[in-house]
Amino acid sequence: MIRVVLADDQAVVRAGFRMFLELAGDVEVVGEASSGPEAVALVRAYRPDVVCMDVRMPGGNGLVATREITGLDDPVPAVLVVTTFDLDDYVFGALEAGASGFVLKDTHPDDLVDAVRRLARGDGLIDQTVTRRVIAEFARRRPAPDAAPDGGVAPLTPRETEIVRMLARGLSNAEIAEELVVETSTVKSHLGRAMAKIGTRDRLQTVVWAYRTGVAAPG
């Protein structure tokens, strides 16, 4: 079972999410929070696999909660940002704080369940309606081209660097494999080694790292 904590200040929203998720059969909602501090406390108590986080909550900032949750000792749950806002500083702040995925509140219930499953598997996710714009905005906000990766990071091989750059362009493993004329399993292996070197937990945070360090560039 995938263990989930729901964090949203609106009880009716939490009730709806709980119903949709638990109908899936492989998801269990282990706690509900109406503020950021409550969400952090529940995560410490129940150690869920995924936290569905509303970043705009009175009585407790979801951004602060996301940073606290992603900074916990292992096992660290994946944070899925669920919001009505697609492009604003709250969303980017959550991704910068370590969130692993992002979907809009009006997403189809099946897509919400799919997002939770993806994050539980270690895959990052951004709602497909805004993927390109989010990546473009990260490119715009990235450090200067001469910025270096964080100290202590093992250097990526040329192939690992190439695959990370293609990932930052929004390509799937299958699309990268097709472009490089290799097996999808080969792409997964290279990407897994790259993520281990740079210390990212999922694909989305790998994209964030690539733009922060200048490994990936717009265009």
Side-chain angles (χ1 to χ4, degrees), residues 37-110:
E38 287 182 19
V40 174
L42 287 175
V43 168
R44 292 183 184 277
Y46 294 106
R47 293 294 181 173
D49 302 299
V50 178
V51 180
C52 294
M53 177 73 73
D54 179 9
V55 291
R56 295 193 178 202
M57 291 184 289
N61 192 320
L63 297 182
V64 174
T66 296
R67 192 175 300 279
E68 288 189 38
I69 289 168
T70 58
L72 294 173
D73 295 332
D74 288 334
V76 178
V79 176
L80 175 66
V81 176
V82 188
T83 180
T84 55
F85 304 92
D86 58 355
L87 283 178
D88 64 10
D89 285 338
Y90 282 86
V91 169
F92 291 110
L95 295 178
E96 295 268 351
S100 296
F102 163 51
V103 294
L104 301 179
K105 281 189 177 179
D106 62 358
T107 192
H108 191 279
D110 289 344

Side-chain angles (χ1 to χ4, degrees), residues 137-157:
E137 179 65 10
F138 266 120
R140 187 185 71 79
R141 296 185 181 198
R142 70 183 176 88
D146 60 352
D150 294 337
V153 175
L156 301 183
T157 66

Side-chain angles (χ1 to χ4, degrees), residues 183-203:
E183 296 293 329
T184 303
S185 59
T186 301
V187 173
K188 289 182 179 178
S189 296
H190 283 298
L191 185 57
R193 285 193 291 270
M195 290 167 61
K197 288 179 179 179
I198 64 181
T200 53
R201 300 184 309 277
D202 54 56
R203 298 166 64 87

Side-chain angles (χ1 to χ4, degrees), residues 5-10 14 31-42 52-53 57:
V5 162
L6 301 176
D8 194 292
D9 61 299
Q10 298 182 45
R14 298 196 307 271
E32 297 184 20
S34 60
S35 70
E38 287 182 19
V40 174
L42 287 175
C52 294
M53 177 73 73
M57 291 184 289

